[in-house]
C-alpha cells in the first residue's frame, strides 16, 4: 500500500470510528434515560421489581461507559468481501438492527484472534487499529495466506508487552493470542485448570474467560455473580480494573482471609500449623472440639417448676444428649431436640407430683393444660436456661476455635496436634478461616439470634409504617417538593402501607456488596488465582460458595510456597469434582524478556528440574546484572535504583527478605509485574525454608524490562551467569 493509499484508508477508518462513537453515545443516552425512568418507578410497580430494573439499567450504563477507551480495535476482511469491525462491545444499526461492531466475545469475532497464515479462517486481511482516546492514530495490516504479508498482530502484541506498566493490570482484549483464546472460549461446565509459568498471562486469561462466560451465560451467572479469589490485597488491586474495563461489575474480589465476613486476620501461623490446619485430617478434631462443649451434670441441677423442685440428672441429660446427637442436626439447632427431651422429663415428673391424688392421665385435657403451663414456665425460667447453657451451650465458631487453640488440654481431648497451640487463640490467621467456616456448618444457626433478627425486622417494619403515616399527613405541602424528597409521586400513593413498601424490605446495595457480606451467598462461577497455595480445607470453603462447581483455577505448581498447598491438581480436585475438571497449559511468556527468563530458568532447574519454563516471545536488550555490596553500601545502591527508576516511565520495586528496609517480600509480589526489579540478598531468600527457591523464582520473574541483583553474601550458584556490574555505575 502506497503512502497515499494508506492515508486515504486512514481517513476512511477515522470516519467509520467517528460513526461508531456517535452510535455509542446514542446508546448511552438511551440507557441513561431508561435508568432515570427506573429510578422514578412506574405506577403500581412493586418495590422489588423497581430495584431489579434499577440495577439492570445501571449495569447497562456501566457497560457502555467503559467502551470509550478502545471501542474498536480491529477489522476483518473475509474472502467473500465482508468487513467485520471488532471491538470492546457490540453495537447495532438503529434502523436496520444489523451489527456495526462485533463484541470481541461473539463467535464471529474469533478469527480476529485465531486466524493464521496456515489457517486463515476465511479471512483475507486482519487490520489492527492503534488508537489514543477516540482518535485513530494508525493501523497495521496482516494479509493472511500470503507469505509476504505483514505481521500486524505480532506488532500489536509486542507493542503491548513492551509498553511501560501502569498502576494495574490491563485487559488484553485487543491482543488475545490463539492459545489464550482457546481457553477463554472453552465450553466446559466444571473446573478448568489453567497452569502457566510467570508471564504467560494466565490471570488475565482467567478474567477474560469470566467476561466471556458472562456474555454467553449472562442469565445463569449475573444474578448470583462471580467470585475472584487472589492471594493478597495488592494483587486484587492490581487486577481489579480488568473486568470493569470489559463492562462486568457483578464481581466480588476476596483473598482467602476474607471468606468469613467480619473476620480480621491479625497474625501468621507457623509452617507446621499451616500444614495441619490445611489438611482434611483437621475435620474430626473440629467435630470433637464441638462435642467437648456438651456436658452431663456432675450433680443433679435443681429447677423450680410449678411450686416444686425438679432436677436434671445425668440420666436425663444422657438421654437428651443421645437424641440430639442422633438427630443429625448441627449443634445449635440440635439444642432444640435436647431441650425438648429435658422439658418432657421435667414436666412429666412435675405433673406427677403436682397432681398427686387428684390428676390422672385419663383426664387428658387437664393433664395437657398443666403441661402447657409448665412448658411456658420453663421457657421463662432463668435457671432452666442457665442449665441448658451449661449442658448444651449455644456456640459460635470463634467460641469453639479460640479456646481449642489456646489450650493444650482441649487439643489433646479433641485429638489435635500440640503444634496447633498458641497463646492467644483469637489472634486469627488466614489458616483459621476454613476452620471457622467449617464450624459454621457444624454449629448451624443460633435459634435465639434468628428470633431476635425476626423481632428486629418486625420492629423496623412498624417504624417504617409509622413514618409513612407521618408522610401521608404532609400531603398538604407542595407536591413537587414532596415528590423530589421522597423519590416517589404522591399521586401514586393511596395509603400509608403503599408508601411503607417503598422504604422497607429493600436492599439497595450492589450485588458485590451484598455477596461479600453474606457468608451463605453462593456464586455461579469462581476464579481462583495462585491456586497452588490453597489447602484442602480452603477448597472446602470454595466448594460451599459454588454448589454448581463452576471454576476457573489459575496457578503454577512450581511457584507453590505453602506447606498445605497443592502438589498436584488431581490430588486437590478429584475429591471435590471427580472427573469434572480439565487441564490447560500456557507455554508462552509474554511478560518476562528472554534475558531475564534465562536467569530464572536456572533457579527453576535447581528446585524443580522436571518443570519446563515458558518460552519468552521477546528480548529486552538489557542484560540482567549482579553486584556485591557491603552492609553500608546496600542502602546507597537501593537508593540509586529508586532514584534512577523514578526518572523513567513505568513501575519498579525492590524485592528482598523480611528485614531489608524498603524491600517487599517475594510473597507479596506474586502475580504482579513491574518494569524494573531490584532483588536484594537472593542468598537469604533462597535459604528461607522449603519455600525459598520458589520465592526467589517469583522475585526474578516480576520484571518486564530490567533486572538487577545485589547481594551481601555469596551469590547463589544458579545466578552465576549474571553479568557482574560495578556498584558506582548507573543502574
Amino acid at each position: 500500500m502506497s503512502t497515499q493509499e494508506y492515508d486515504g484508508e486512514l481517513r476512511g477508518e477515522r470516519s467509520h470510528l467517528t460513526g461508531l462513537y456517535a452510535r455509542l453515545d446514542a446508546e448511552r443516552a438511551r440507557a441513561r434515560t431508561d435508568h432515570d425512568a427506573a429510578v422514578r418507578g412506574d405506577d403500581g410497580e412493586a418495590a422489588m421489581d423497581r430495584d431489579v430494573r434499577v440495577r439492570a439499567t445501571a449495569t447497562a450504563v456501566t457497560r457502555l461507559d467503559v467502551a470509550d477507551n478502545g471501542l474498536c480495535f480491529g477489522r476483518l476482511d473475509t474472502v467473500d468481501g465482508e468487513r467485520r469491525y471488532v471491538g470492546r462491545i457490540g453495537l447495532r444499526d438503529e434502523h436496520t438492527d444489523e451489527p456495526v461492531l462485533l463484541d470481541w466475545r461473539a463467535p464471529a469475532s474469533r478469527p480476529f484472534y485465531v486466524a493464521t497464515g496456515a489457517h486463515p479462517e476465511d479471512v483475507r486481511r486482519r487490520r489492527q487499529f492503534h488508537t489514543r482516546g477516540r482518535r485513530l492514530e494508525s493501523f497495521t495490516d496482516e494479509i493472511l495466506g500470503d507469505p509476504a504479508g505483514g505481521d500486524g498482530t505480532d506488532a500489536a502484541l509486542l507493542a503491548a508487552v513492551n509498553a511501560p506498566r501502569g498502576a494495574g493490570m490491563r485487559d488484553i482484549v485487543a491482543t488475545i493470542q490463539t492459545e489464550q483464546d482457546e481457553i477463554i472460549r472453552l465450553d466446559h461446565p466444571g473446573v478448568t485448570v489453567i497452569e502457566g509459568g510467570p508471564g504467560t498471562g494466565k490471570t488475565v486469561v482467567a478474567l477474560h474467560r469470566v467476561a466471556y462466560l458472562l456474555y454467553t451465560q449472562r442469565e445463569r451467572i449475573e444474578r448470583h455473580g462471580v467470585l475472584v479469589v487472589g492471594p493478597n490485597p495488592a494483587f486484587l488491586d492490581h487486577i481489579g480494573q480488568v473486568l470493569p474495563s470489559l463492562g462486568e461489575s457483578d464481581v466480588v474480589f476476596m483473598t482467602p482471609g476474607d471468606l468469613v465476613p467480619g473476620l480480621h486476620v491479625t497474625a501468621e501461623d507457623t509452617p507446621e500449623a499451616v500444614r495441619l490446619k490445611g489438611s482434611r485430617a483437621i475435620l474430626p478434631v473440629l467435630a470433637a472440639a464441638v462435642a467437648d462443649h456438651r456436658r452431663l451434670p456432675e450433680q443433679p441441677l435443681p429447677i423450680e417448676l410449678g411450686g416444686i423442685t425438679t432436677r436434671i440428672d445425668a440420666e436425663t441429660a444422657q438421654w437428651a444428649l443421645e437424641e440430639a446427637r442422633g438427630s443429625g442436626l448441627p449443634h445449635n439447632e440440635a439444642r432444640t431436640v435436647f431441650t425438648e427431651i429435658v422439658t418432657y422429663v421435667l414436666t412429666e415428673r412435675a405433673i406427677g407430683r403436682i397432681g398427686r391424688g387428684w390428676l390422672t392421665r385419663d383426664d387428658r385435657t387437664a393433664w395437657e393444660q398443666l403441661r402447657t403451663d409448665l412448658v411456658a414456665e420453663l421457657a421463662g425460667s432463668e435457671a432452666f436456661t442457665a442449665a441448658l447453657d451449661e449442658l448444651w451451650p449455644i456456640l459460635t465458631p470463634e467460641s469453639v476455635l479460640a479456646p481449642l487453640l489456646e489450650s493444650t488440654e482441649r487439643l489433646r481431648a479433641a485429638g489435635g496436634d500440640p503444634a496447633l497451640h498458641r497463646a492467644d487463640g483469637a489472634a486469627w490467621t488466614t489458616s483459621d478461616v476454613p476452620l471457622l467456616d467449617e464450624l459454621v456448618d457444624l454449629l448451624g444457626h443460633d435459634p435465639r439470634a434468628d428470633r431476635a433478627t425476626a423481632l428486629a425486622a418486625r420492629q423496623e417494619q412498624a417504624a417504617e409504617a409509622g413514618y409513612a403515616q407521618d408522610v401521608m399527613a404532609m400531603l398538604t405541602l407542595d407536591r413537587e417538593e414532596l415528590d423530589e424528597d421522597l423519590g416517589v409521586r404522591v399521586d401514586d400513593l393511596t395509603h400509608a402501607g403503599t408508601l411503607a413498601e417503598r422504604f422497607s424490605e429493600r436492599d439497595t446495595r450492589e450485588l458485590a456488596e451484598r455477596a461479600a457480606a453474606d457468608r451463605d451467598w453462593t456464586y455461579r462461577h469462581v476464579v481462583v488465582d495462585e491456586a497452588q497455595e490453597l489447602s484442602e480445607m480452603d477448597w472446602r470453603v470454595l466448594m460451599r460458595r459454588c454448589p454448581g462447581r463452576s471454576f476457573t483455577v489459575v496457578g503454577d505448581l512450581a511457584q507453590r510456597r505453602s506447606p498445605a498447598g497443592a502438589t498436584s491438581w488431581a490430588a486437590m480436585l478429584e475429591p471435590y469434582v471427580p472427573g469434572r475438571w480439565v487441564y490447560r497449559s500456557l507455554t508462552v511468556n509474554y511478560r518476562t524478556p528472554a534475558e531475564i527468563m534465562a536467569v530464572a530458568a536456572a533457579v527453576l532447574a535447581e528446585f524443580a528440574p522436571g518443570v519446563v519454563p515458558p518460552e519468552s516471545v521477546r528480548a529486552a536488550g538489557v542484560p540482567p546484572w549482579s553486584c556485591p555490596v557491603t552492609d553500608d553500601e546496600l542502602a546507597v545502591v537501593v537508593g540509586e535504583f529508586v532514584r534512577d527508576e523514578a526518572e523513567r516511565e513505568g513501575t519498579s520495586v525492590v524485592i528482598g527478605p523480611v528485614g531489608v528496609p524498603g524491600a517487599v517480600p517475594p510473597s507479596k509480589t506474586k502475580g504482579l509485574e513491574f518494569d524494573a526489579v531490584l532483588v536484594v540478598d537472593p542468598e537469604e531468600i533462597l535459604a528461607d525454608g522449603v519455600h525459598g527457591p520458589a520465592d526467589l523464582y517469583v522475585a526474578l520473574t516480576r520484571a518486564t524490562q530490567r533486572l538487577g541483583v545485589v547481594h551481601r553474601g555469596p551469590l547463589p550458584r544458579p545466578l552465576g551467569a549474571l553479568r557482574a556490574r560495578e556498584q558506582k555505575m548507573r543502574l
Side-chain angles (χ1 to χ4, degrees):
M1 187 182 298
S2 68
T3 300
Q4 185 176 5
E5 291 171 329
Y6 181 92
D7 289 343
E9 286 278 320
L10 183 61
R11 286 192 296 271
E13 297 291 23
R14 282 174 174 167
S15 176
H16 189 81
L17 259 65
T18 298
L20 291 178
Y21 274 110
R23 185 76 198 109
L24 173 68
D25 291 340
E27 283 285 317
R28 186 157 43 205
R30 181 187 61 78
R32 286 175 175 162
T33 298
D34 291 346
H35 179 63
D36 292 342
V39 171
R40 289 193 301 271
D42 292 335
D43 293 353
E45 185 178 26
M48 183 176 296
D49 293 338
R50 172 176 171 270
D51 289 342
V52 169
R53 197 155 61 95
V54 167
R55 291 194 182 101
T57 54
T59 299
V61 171
T62 299
R63 290 193 182 116
L64 292 167
D65 281 343
V66 301
D68 262 311
N69 185 24
L71 172 64
C72 177
F73 45 77
R75 189 185 95 186
L76 292 172
D77 295 353
T78 65
V79 293
D80 59 5
E82 181 186 2
R83 287 184 178 180
R84 304 175 190 165
Y85 286 87
V86 180
R88 192 169 292 276
I89 63 170
L91 293 174
R92 291 183 173 274
D93 185 279
E94 61 180 326
H95 302 296
T96 66
D97 201 38
E98 292 295 319
V100 293
L101 181 66
L102 291 174
D103 191 296
W104 66 274
R105 296 163 287 194
S109 297
R110 192 176 188 196
F112 188 81
Y113 302 110
V114 302
T116 64
H119 302 283
E121 304 281 336
D122 294 327
V123 173
R124 182 177 62 85
R125 184 206 321 262
R126 174 166 44 209
R127 175 166 289 179
Q128 189 90 22
F129 294 150
H130 312 289
T131 60
R132 184 184 299 274
R134 290 192 168 202
R135 178 177 174 78
L136 175 61
E137 299 286 335
S138 62
F139 66 83
T140 52
D141 280 348
E142 183 181 10
I143 307 302
L144 300 177
D146 180 0
D151 60 352
T153 299
D154 291 340
L157 171 65
L158 291 176
V161 297
N162 279 314
R165 265 47 191 171
M169 180 179 284
R170 297 168 292 191
D171 66 60
I172 58 169
V173 64
T175 58
I176 294 170
Q177 300 301 291
T178 300
E179 70 168 0
Q180 297 173 330
D181 185 79
E182 290 175 354
I183 296 173
I184 289 170
R185 298 174 191 265
L186 183 65
D187 183 17
H188 179 69
V191 177
T192 299
V193 176
I194 307 172
E195 183 164 29
T200 53
K202 53 187 179 293
T203 296
V204 73
V205 166
L207 297 175
H208 283 67
R209 175 167 168 76
V210 169
Y212 175 75
L213 291 174
L214 282 165
Y215 177 79
T216 57
Q217 305 176 34
R218 188 168 300 281
E219 186 174 343
R220 181 182 75 85
I221 296 176
E222 190 174 44
R223 290 187 65 181
H224 285 256
V226 174
L227 172 64
V228 176
V229 179
N232 54 60
F235 175 82
L236 295 181
D237 288 343
H238 180 63
I239 69 171
Q241 289 306 308
V242 173
L243 284 168
S245 74
L246 298 172
E248 306 301 348
S249 58
D250 292 331
V251 181
V252 179
F253 293 90
M254 290 186 181
T255 69
D258 299 328
L259 289 169
V260 172
L263 186 77
H264 298 289
V265 172
T266 60
E268 188 172 338
D269 274 316
T270 65
E272 180 62 7
V274 170
R275 185 187 68 80
L276 291 168
K277 292 179 181 179
S279 169
R280 283 195 297 270
I282 198 70
L283 292 172
V285 176
L286 296 177
V290 173
D292 189 49
H293 286 266
R294 302 163 188 163
R295 299 279 187 271
L296 297 179
E298 295 181 3
Q299 299 293 332
L301 302 176
I303 304 294
E304 296 297 323
L305 182 60
I308 65 171
T309 300
T310 59
R311 287 175 173 78
I312 305 176
D313 53 30
E315 183 181 10
T316 299
Q318 181 67 44
W319 178 26
L321 188 147
E322 290 174 359
E323 290 291 331
R325 193 165 49 197
S327 69
L329 294 171
H331 171 88
N332 288 337
E333 295 168 31
R335 171 170 158 138
T336 301
V337 178
F338 183 89
T339 303
E340 288 173 351
I341 297 297
V342 174
T343 298
Y344 172 78
V345 172
L346 293 185
T347 55
E348 280 290 304
R349 290 174 179 172
I351 291 172
R353 291 173 58 187
I354 295 170
R356 184 174 297 157
W358 63 271
L359 181 62
T360 68
R361 289 185 181 275
D362 293 336
D363 190 353
R364 183 173 298 275
T365 301
W367 189 285
E368 291 303 324
Q369 181 59 54
L370 181 54
R371 181 192 299 281
T372 299
D373 294 341
L374 294 176
V375 168
E377 184 179 342
L378 280 178
S381 169
E382 294 183 2
F384 183 59
T385 300
L388 293 177
D389 289 343
E390 179 182 342
L391 302 177
W392 194 288
I394 293 292
L395 299 172
T396 65
E398 294 82 359
S399 70
V400 173
L401 190 57
L404 175 69
L405 297 178
E406 64 188 16
S407 168
T408 54
E409 291 77 11
R410 285 184 180 273
L411 280 170
R412 189 181 306 110
D417 194 298
L420 294 171
H421 176 263
R422 66 183 183 222
D424 184 358
W428 303 118
T429 70
T430 299
S431 298
D432 291 329
V433 170
L435 277 59
L436 291 166
D437 194 71
E438 190 75 33
L439 285 166
V440 171
D441 280 1
L442 287 174
L443 297 176
H445 292 285
D446 177 355
R448 294 181 301 186
D450 291 344
R451 288 194 294 271
T453 300
L455 176 61
R458 288 195 298 271
Q459 291 172 339
E460 181 179 359
Q461 189 174 14
E464 295 291 359
Y467 172 68
Q469 292 283 3
D470 293 340
V471 171
M472 295 298 291
M474 295 165 56
L475 292 179
T476 54
L477 297 176
D478 181 77
R479 289 185 172 230
E480 290 186 3
E481 180 181 344
L482 190 59
D483 288 348
E484 182 178 353
D485 289 344
L486 298 177
V488 295
R489 291 184 293 275
V490 170
D491 289 339
D492 293 342
L493 306 176
T494 57
H495 53 77
T498 303
L499 182 57
E501 183 188 1
R502 295 283 187 176
F503 294 96
S504 63
E505 299 181 0
R506 290 174 53 191
D507 190 341
T508 58
R509 296 173 297 172
E510 295 296 326
L511 180 143
E513 186 180 359
R514 288 182 287 132
D518 185 355
R519 183 264 176 187
D520 294 325
W521 189 278
T522 57
Y523 300 88
R524 288 295 182 263
H525 192 77
V526 176
V527 176
V528 186
D529 210 323
E530 299 294 342
Q532 73 277 356
E533 306 297 345
L534 268 61
S535 69
E536 294 174 331
M537 291 297 293
D538 288 325
W539 279 108
R540 286 179 66 86
V541 179
L542 293 177
M543 292 297 168
R544 290 189 192 100
R545 302 298 189 272
C546 187
R549 303 293 196 262
S550 178
F551 284 78
T552 299
V553 176
V554 179
D556 180 9
L557 295 179
Q559 296 186 54
R560 179 181 67 88
R561 71 187 309 273
S562 171
T567 55
S568 82
W569 300 116
M572 194 60 75
L573 294 173
E574 275 295 321
Y576 304 107
V577 283
R580 287 196 59 218
W581 65 280
V582 296
Y583 175 87
R584 295 292 184 270
S585 64
L586 293 169
T587 60
V588 179
N589 189 331
Y590 301 100
R591 176 180 68 213
T592 315
E595 303 95 328
I596 296 176
M597 197 61 215
V599 176
V603 174
L604 182 65
E606 286 279 323
F607 76 93
V611 178
V612 178
E615 182 179 354
S616 297
V617 298
R618 67 189 176 98
V622 182
W625 53 267
S626 67
C627 178
V629 295
T630 65
D631 290 344
D632 294 336
E633 293 169 337
L634 177 61
V636 175
V637 173
V638 170
E640 289 179 354
F641 170 82
V642 172
R643 286 193 298 274
D644 285 353
E645 290 302 329
E647 298 174 2
R648 293 186 169 108
E649 185 180 3
T651 60
S652 63
V653 68
V654 178
I655 304 176
V658 175
V660 174
V664 179
S667 62
K668 300 298 184 184
T669 65
K670 297 191 76 170
L672 307 183
E673 56 185 34
F674 306 88
D675 291 271
V677 172
L678 182 67
V679 177
V680 178
D681 291 341
E683 67 282 6
E684 289 190 27
I685 297 174
L686 192 61
D688 186 15
V690 295
H691 53 75
D695 280 354
L696 182 56
Y697 182 58
V698 168
L700 295 171
T701 54
R702 299 306 94 193
T704 65
Q705 302 292 341
R706 300 175 294 282
L707 172 68
V709 175
V710 293
H711 55 101
R712 289 177 287 184
L715 189 67
R717 186 171 61 84
L719 303 185
L722 283 169
R723 191 182 81 172
R725 193 167 198 176
E726 293 293 335
Q727 173 195 329
K728 299 298 184 182
M729 294 179 65
R730 181 179 177 84
L731 305 181

